[in-house]
Amino acid sequence: MIIELDMQSELPIYTQLINQIIEGIASGKLLPGEALPSVRSMASDIGINLHTVNKAYNQLKQEDYIHVHRQKGVVVNPNGMPEVDEHFTARQLQQLRPVIAEAILRGMSQDELIDMVESIYKDIKA
Amino acid sequence: MIIELDMQSELPIYTQLINQIIEGIASGKLLPGEALPSVRSMASDIGINLHTVNKAYNQLKQEDYIHVHRQKGVVVNPNGMPEVDEHFTARQLQQLRPVIAEAILRGMSQDELIDMVESIYKDIKA
Amino acid sequence: MIIELDMQSELPIYTQLINQIIEGIASGKLLPGEALPSVRSMASDIGINLHTVNKAYNQLKQEDYIHVHRQKGVVVNPNGMPEVDEHFTARQLQQLRPVIAEAILRGMSQDELIDMVESIYKDIKA
Amino acid sequence: MIIELDMQSELPIYTQLINQIIEGIASGKLLPGEALPSVRSMASDIGINLHTVNKAYNQLKQEDYIHVHRQKGVVVNPNGMPEVDEHFTARQLQQLRPVIAEAILRGMSQDELIDMVESIYKDIKA
DNA sequence: GTGGTCTAGACCACT
DNA sequence: GTGGTCTAGACCACC
């Protein structure tokens, strides 16, 4: 699992880290039950502070995507991922809406937009 | 054009303002050439700081969605909206990708995701 | 609102802080909509680090007990408190069970235990 | 006596072990004078570290719930359990208070709370 | 060696 | 001035 961070990005590092791990799980590169690097090794691997890694891990734990054992370290939730729920749908809608609005504003047709979504979907899943 | 802000939201107010105006244009509620309230009146209307409105307007101007004249005030770009360009596509991809990844992780099928996008698209356009 | 912390306690400081604030709300000493001290002033008031206060505030925010505005500071949730839900009941059960077990082991009768609970209940509410 | 540990839990394993044994005694499944598995066999039975079992036993011994003989092994205190004392009441109060406060905050009535306590009491005793 | 907690000090975004 | 983020370094509990 290779993590790529953009230190110049406006996105907080811990958010980028969360996104990368989520994508890793979504794409199947990280399997349920699989171990993730310890906060310390992950931090030194990618050259950031361990607290930043910790924050990312904690947020992922909160969503029940990973489990954090005090001693054994961190693993992808072995029982698989939580389903779509109300809370998630609301968040998703809130994130999607402005992006779609701006696409419409710039004249993208519904089909073009769907093509884009499909291509990203396939790209991640592949 | 009614602006609705959620002061509880973690989204910065200026971002919410930008989103609302973009959606206004996308939905046709704001037409090219149409005037927007001045920084001052917008600020007092919705009870926020001048700087906040200013920041939103400046960002919209930078994307060429609106024109700001020192005298004539603020108007939706009368020449219509800019097309989809490389810069926009890149930004869109960066925003869409994590949302789609998380949807996959939670087991949404491509069709379910597209349904969601379609329904938002139609909701804005309507 | 006076906060009392025991720096010797085995309970983490941020947990004690959370408990105190919860009790403040439960007892009516803190009312919905009422402002809490900023992380910085709270931290310096009680002589701890601002990150520790931050952690407590964030956890309270997570449970929807308080709202954190980026600029305006922190307020008790003006819409009132969330109801009892499944998640809370489970947590409560998990905390209560060992305490009650040990009470039984030491020979407390059900009535004695209930008396104790009642007296604490009244003490907080008063 | 079956011990069930949740390795995912944020409760330390030794604490879970203590709780289980206390509940075993409280419920009458473990009787005064009854033998408990040796540190070694307990550890290998449930697949945890020796030190962890040791720590649990030591803490139980300190509360005078069990006796640890170098040769004869570990037994539930044959003289019966210690009564409620000041130290215990103080500890109990400290644990109960935050739970009750949060229950009040979420709008539980005193009767609802007592019902919950009663049902747990009966569940353990049964 | 693992994560959890706490401190300290810095810079930034937002209003 | 507010919270958000990041870094750095330390000690502790657990196993």
Side-chain angles (χ1 to χ4, degrees):
Chain A
M1 179 76 197
I2 300 158
I3 302 288
E4 288 177 15
L5 299 180
D6 175 4
M7 305 309 275
Q8 314 306 331
S9 167
E10 49 188 6
L11 268 78
I13 296 178
Y14 79 94
T15 304
Q16 296 182 51
L17 190 47
I18 288 171
N19 287 344
Q20 299 259 326
I21 293 173
I22 286 178
E23 192 171 321
I25 300 173
S27 69
K29 280 197 275 290
L30 288 172
L31 297 172
E34 189 170 341
L36 268 62
S38 75
V39 282
R40 280 173 176 77
S41 70
M42 170 74 91
S44 80
D45 279 4
I46 57 186
I48 61 174
N49 190 281
L50 88 174
H51 290 112
T52 309
V53 178
N54 210 343
K55 181 160 189 176
Y57 277 179
N58 269 315
Q59 207 142 317
L60 288 164
K61 168 189 166 192
Q62 187 106 42
E63 292 286 344
D64 210 24
Y65 296 160
I66 65 174
H67 283 173
V68 178
H69 295 60
R70 240 188 264 268
Q71 280 24 292
K72 298 198 303 181
V74 181
V75 297
V76 180
N77 184 341
N79 310 315
M81 291 300 120
E83 314 256 308
V84 171
D85 59 11
E86 204 184 322
H87 164 252
F88 172 69
T89 309
R91 188 152 51 82
Q92 198 186 25
L93 212 143
Q94 197 202 354
Q95 291 178 294
L96 245 26
R97 195 175 177 91
V99 182
I100 295 176
E102 195 166 359
I104 294 175
L105 172 148
R106 289 210 179 224
M108 270 183 100
S109 73
Q110 186 175 302
D111 285 349
E112 284 169 324
L113 184 60
I114 288 175
D115 280 354
M116 180 149 200
V117 171
E118 274 189 2
S119 100
I120 298 174
Y121 192 101
K122 288 188 169 56
D123 187 51
I124 296 172
K125 204 114 201 220
Chain B
M1 177 76 196
I2 299 159
I3 301 289
E4 288 178 15
L5 300 180
D6 176 5
M7 305 308 278
Q8 322 292 344
S9 169
E10 41 192 26
L11 264 75
I13 294 179
Y14 83 96
T15 304
Q16 294 184 52
L17 189 49
I18 289 172
N19 287 344
Q20 297 261 327
I21 293 172
I22 286 179
E23 193 171 320
I25 300 173
S27 69
K29 281 198 275 288
L30 289 173
L31 297 171
E34 190 171 339
L36 286 165
S38 73
V39 174
R40 265 175 220 293
S41 70
M42 170 72 93
S44 80
D45 278 5
I46 53 185
I48 60 175
N49 195 294
L50 280 181
H51 301 327
T52 310
V53 179
N54 222 322
K55 179 157 192 174
Y57 277 0
N58 272 322
Q59 205 145 317
L60 288 164
K61 174 184 161 195
Q62 198 163 4
E63 292 287 341
D64 211 23
Y65 296 161
I66 64 173
H67 284 174
V68 180
H69 298 294
R70 220 176 284 274
Q71 317 292 349
K72 295 195 289 181
V74 183
V75 296
V76 179
N77 184 341
N79 311 315
M81 291 300 118
E83 313 255 309
V84 171
D85 59 12
E86 204 180 316
H87 164 252
F88 171 70
T89 309
R91 187 153 52 81
Q92 201 185 24
L93 211 142
Q94 197 202 355
Q95 292 178 291
L96 244 26
R97 196 172 177 94
V99 182
I100 295 176
E102 196 166 0
I104 294 174
L105 172 148
R106 288 206 180 229
M108 267 183 104
S109 72
Q110 185 174 303
D111 285 348
E112 285 168 324
L113 185 60
I114 287 175
D115 280 355
M116 181 150 201
V117 171
E118 273 188 3
S119 100
I120 298 174
Y121 192 100
K122 288 186 168 56
D123 187 53
I124 296 172
K125 257 267 154 94
Chain C
M1 178 77 197
I2 299 159
I3 302 289
E4 288 178 16
L5 299 181
D6 174 4
M7 306 309 276
Q8 314 307 330
S9 167
E10 49 188 6
L11 268 78
I13 296 178
Y14 79 95
T15 304
Q16 296 183 50
L17 190 47
I18 289 171
N19 287 343
Q20 298 259 326
I21 293 173
I22 286 178
E23 193 172 320
I25 300 174
S27 69
K29 281 197 275 290
L30 288 173
L31 298 172
E34 189 170 341
L36 268 63
S38 75
V39 282
R40 279 174 178 77
S41 70
M42 169 74 91
S44 80
D45 279 4
I46 56 186
I48 60 174
N49 191 280
L50 88 175
H51 290 112
T52 308
V53 178
N54 210 344
K55 181 159 189 175
Y57 277 180
N58 268 316
Q59 207 141 315
L60 288 164
K61 169 189 165 192
Q62 187 106 41
E63 293 286 343
D64 211 25
Y65 296 160
I66 64 174
H67 282 173
V68 179
H69 294 61
R70 240 189 265 268
Q71 282 22 294
K72 298 198 303 181
V74 181
V75 297
V76 180
N77 185 341
N79 310 314
M81 291 300 120
E83 314 255 309
V84 171
D85 60 11
E86 202 184 322
H87 164 252
F88 172 69
T89 309
R91 189 152 50 83
Q92 200 186 25
L93 213 142
Q94 197 203 353
Q95 290 177 293
L96 245 26
R97 194 173 177 93
V99 182
I100 295 176
E102 196 166 357
I104 294 174
L105 172 147
R106 291 212 179 220
M108 269 183 100
S109 73
Q110 186 174 302
D111 284 348
E112 284 168 324
L113 184 60
I114 288 176
D115 280 354
M116 179 150 200
V117 171
E118 273 189 4
S119 100
I120 299 174
Y121 192 100
K122 288 188 168 55
D123 187 52
I124 296 173
K125 201 108 200 228
Chain D
M1 178 75 196
I2 298 158
I3 302 289
E4 287 179 15
L5 300 179
D6 176 4
M7 307 306 278
Q8 321 292 344
S9 168
E10 40 192 27
L11 264 75
I13 294 179
Y14 83 96
T15 304
Q16 294 184 52
L17 190 48
I18 290 171
N19 287 343
Q20 298 261 325
I21 293 172
I22 286 179
E23 194 172 321
I25 300 173
S27 68
K29 280 198 274 290
L30 288 173
L31 298 171
E34 189 170 342
L36 287 165
S38 73
V39 174
R40 266 174 219 294
S41 71
M42 171 72 92
S44 81
D45 278 5
I46 53 186
I48 60 175
N49 195 292
L50 279 181
H51 301 325
T52 310
V53 179
N54 222 322
K55 181 157 190 174
Y57 277 0
N58 272 321
Q59 205 145 319
L60 288 164
K61 173 185 161 195
Q62 198 164 5
E63 293 286 342
D64 210 25
Y65 297 160
I66 64 173
H67 285 174
V68 180
H69 298 293
R70 221 177 280 276
Q71 317 292 349
K72 295 196 287 181
V74 184
V75 296
V76 179
N77 185 341
N79 311 315
M81 291 300 120
E83 313 255 308
V84 171
D85 60 12
E86 203 179 319
H87 164 253
F88 171 69
T89 310
R91 187 152 52 81
Q92 200 185 24
L93 210 143
Q94 197 201 355
Q95 291 177 293
L96 243 27
R97 195 173 176 92
V99 182
I100 295 176
E102 196 166 1
I104 294 174
L105 173 148
R106 287 203 181 232
M108 266 182 103
S109 73
Q110 186 175 303
D111 285 348
E112 285 169 324
L113 185 60
I114 287 175
D115 280 355
M116 182 150 200
V117 171
E118 274 188 4
S119 99
I120 298 174
Y121 193 100
K122 287 187 169 55
D123 188 52
I124 295 173
K125 258 264 156 98

